[in-house]
Amino acid sequence: MPAAPTLGDTAAGSGTPTGRPREYGVTALASVVVLGSLMTVLDTTIVNVALNRLSRDFHAPLAAIQWVATGYTLALAAVIPLTAWAIGRFGTKRLYLLAIGAFALGSALAGLAWNTESLIAFRVLQGLAGGAVQPVGMTILIRASDPAHRGRMMSILGLPVLVGPLIGPVLGGYLVDEVSWRWIFLINIPVGVLTLVLGARFFRRDTPQPTSRLDLPGLLTLSPGLALLIYGLSTGAERHTFTTAGVLLPTLLGAALVVAFVIRALTARDPLIDLRLLRHGPFGSAAATLALFVCGYFGSMLLLPLYYQVVRGQSATGAGLLGIPQVVTTGITMQFAGRLVDKVAPRRLIMSGVALAATGFLAFTTQVAADTPYAVLLAALAVMGIGVGMTMMPTMASATRNVDNDRIPAASTTLSIIPQIASSIGGALMSVLLAGAIADRLPGTMAGGLEAVHALPAGAVRGLAPQLAEAFQHTYVWAVALVALALLPALFLPRGKREAV
């Protein structure tokens, strides 16, 4: 046996097994994939805390500088649908290293940006590269891991998705305050180089296996459709209205294009993404469970730092630190749950996780007030974190466990798109509901929502804290309901360990 860790006995590109993969080799692969994924996930959140500084340094209005974040997200969503075809055309190792290299290059250029326009352009380059990293990395891990141990691999892969959104604001705040905003981008360079070196060393070179021509009509409907839909939802959330032409038109057009893609994907011989996978019970049930759960959970994540800052008077860094206990419980639970889903019926584990997450979330919601002890809030969030750890990656593992090797790229791409859309819809919904709740409880001058609150003196905001807390509590109820609704599709998850897709 060679001393250096390799992919094991399964070719990463072809997915043709020649025996059980060596555990050490798969673990090495997982470490590289997690490193690359963490870099891209952090970049979706780390920039938010720097927008105010960027607006000041570039003398740009917030409406313009916001595209530094929005442009990245849109590019990320637009390129994901292309990855399934690109994997067959270029192979997983070549495509992954190319994406990581382009992301590091985009990061370097963003760190050297000289004005708003150049920074936005380089962020789009980052997004185009970053959109391929997660689905390709997921494909590599799924193909390399034994289906009997896939839950453990998926639990490791899920760490960046859950940890990144909470570490990002804290790290970004420190770099902006103590170093320079440029380092929120430049920090990616050494991480990207390390990922490239490790990926070149550990990933086995695979032979590209193009099975069909690029579905150009599918690409021209889904990619711009996702970009327009996410743009409309995010813009509507920022403006707290979806009735203006600048918000309503792109939202409706994006939705229409996505519907057109779905129709084509279900009828075309070689679609860009094989949505026929959703017709199969285990995969479709897992996808629906994931969509509802992500919509409620990740959609509500924008509420927590706002609650801590607006109602409780915490700083941005303080709000980020208060989220750490939940991340720790989620991460620890995920590792146990990932191994457990390889041994028990997915339905039992995932339904227990959804129920526990909804219970902890509801306990937190009932305690949202202006003076609730932090220990009470953190305890409820820790319970929710345990439920999240029992739900997210076990659901993905259940969806992919018995998917044929040649359909793994399509499955990985679909499972990467679902959280993007669901979290965008959830975030927009929570933002609009919060603005309405604030306006209902503080009419007149508070009709402007959080913007009007920010314009008030600190003493006045403290005086309004009980009403603001009530508005947050009202909004959280909707998020809890979405999480609880995930129990319905979870009822149809496999009852046994080996139920085929």
Side-chain angles (χ1 to χ4, degrees):
M1 180 183 296
T6 64
L7 180 64
D9 299 314
T10 301
S14 65
T16 303
T18 58
R20 180 171 176 172
R22 288 192 299 272
E23 200 63 35
Y24 181 66
V26 176
T27 302
L29 284 185
S31 301
V32 179
V33 171
V34 165
L35 189 62
S37 296
L38 182 61
M39 182 173 61
T40 60
V41 171
L42 278 176
D43 246 48
T44 62
T45 58
I46 199 172
V47 172
N48 291 334
V49 297
L51 294 180
N52 187 56
R53 176 65 62 86
L54 292 170
S55 178
R56 186 180 67 189
D57 288 0
F58 286 139
H59 307 288
L62 187 59
I65 210 67
Q66 178 66 31
W67 277 97
V68 173
T70 304
Y72 177 86
T73 303
L74 295 182
L76 198 74
V79 79
I80 288 176
L82 192 61
T83 55
W85 171 84
I87 285 171
R89 177 67 179 81
F90 301 104
T92 52
K93 178 175 182 177
R94 186 183 305 174
L95 183 59
Y96 191 83
L97 297 182
L98 177 63
I100 291 293
F103 188 88
L105 175 61
S107 300
L109 293 173
L112 300 174
W114 55 91
N115 58 23
T116 305
E117 293 77 14
S118 63
L119 181 56
I120 292 172
F122 297 143
R123 284 286 288 166
V124 169
L125 174 59
Q126 277 188 296
L128 292 174
V133 170
Q134 183 175 345
V136 178
M138 187 185 299
T139 299
I140 291 173
L141 279 189
I142 291 174
R143 285 178 169 176
S145 60
D146 186 332
H149 299 87
R150 190 157 290 164
R152 176 164 51 180
M153 290 298 102
M154 297 301 290
S155 67
I156 296 174
L157 185 61
L159 287 175
V161 179
L162 293 169
V163 173
L166 291 174
I167 292 181
V170 178
L171 177 61
Y174 170 78
L175 291 174
V176 169
D177 292 339
E178 304 298 333
V179 189
S180 167
W181 65 262
R182 297 184 183 276
W183 275 96
I184 65 176
F185 305 114
L186 297 178
I187 196 173
N188 289 327
I189 298 175
V191 179
V193 170
L194 178 60
T195 305
L196 282 173
V197 172
L198 294 178
R201 179 69 181 89
F202 294 148
F203 292 169
R204 174 175 293 181
R205 181 175 297 278
D206 51 339
T207 303
Q209 295 182 344
T211 57
S212 62
R213 297 172 58 185
L214 176 63
D215 178 19
L216 191 58
L219 180 63
L220 294 179
T221 51
L222 184 57
S223 289
L226 287 176
L228 286 169
L229 181 61
I230 292 176
Y231 168 79
L233 292 172
S234 60
T235 304
E238 292 165 10
R239 299 179 183 176
H240 307 297
T241 178
F242 286 87
T243 58
T244 61
V247 174
L248 187 60
L249 288 178
T251 302
L252 293 178
L253 180 58
L257 287 172
V258 171
V259 170
F261 168 77
V262 171
I263 295 173
R264 174 174 177 78
L266 294 175
T267 57
R269 180 179 178 181
D270 295 307
L272 183 68
I273 299 175
D274 187 6
L275 294 184
R276 288 180 284 260
L277 279 168
L278 297 173
R279 294 176 176 174
H280 297 283
F283 190 90
S285 300
T289 302
L290 185 66
L292 288 169
F293 193 87
V294 166
C295 188
Y297 173 62
F298 282 101
S300 71
M301 288 189 69
L302 68 89
L303 298 176
L304 188 60
L306 288 175
Y307 164 69
Y308 283 142
Q309 293 177 70
V310 175
V311 179
R312 308 303 296 268
Q314 289 286 335
S315 65
T317 302
L321 292 173
L322 285 168
I324 290 178
Q326 179 189 339
V327 174
V328 171
T329 58
T330 299
I332 293 174
T333 305
M334 189 187 299
Q335 302 311 306
F336 288 105
R339 289 161 172 78
L340 194 59
V341 78
D342 292 330
K343 301 177 181 178
V344 303
R347 186 175 72 168
R348 183 184 306 172
L349 175 64
I350 295 168
M351 287 192 68
S352 299
V354 174
L356 190 60
T359 301
F361 207 177
L362 181 61
F364 169 81
T365 300
T366 58
Q367 297 301 314
V368 169
D371 55 358
T372 307
Y374 285 114
V376 174
L377 297 174
L378 295 181
L381 289 174
V383 173
M384 184 178 74
I386 294 173
V388 172
M390 293 172 61
T391 303
M392 289 286 294
M393 304 319 289
T395 301
M396 288 192 174
S398 175
T400 61
R401 173 166 290 148
N402 294 310
V403 175
D404 294 336
N405 280 301
D406 58 350
R407 304 179 82 182
I408 284 175
S412 301
T413 303
T414 303
L415 292 176
S416 297
I417 290 174
I418 288 173
Q420 287 283 338
I421 298 176
S423 60
S424 296
I425 293 174
L429 178 62
M430 295 305 124
S431 180
V432 171
L433 290 172
L434 178 61
I438 292 175
D440 289 342
R441 287 156 181 78
L442 299 169
T445 56
M446 291 298 100
L450 285 177
E451 288 81 357
V453 175
H454 290 151
L456 295 174
V461 175
R462 285 194 295 271
L464 297 174
Q467 294 95 320
L468 290 170
E470 186 180 341
F472 275 90
Q473 186 179 65
H474 172 81
T475 307
Y476 267 121
V477 169
W478 292 92
V480 174
L482 284 169
V483 169
L485 279 175
L487 284 169
L488 296 180
L491 282 169
F492 300 96
L493 289 170
R495 298 181 180 182
K497 293 187 293 180
R498 297 297 180 188
E499 188 171 327
V501 174

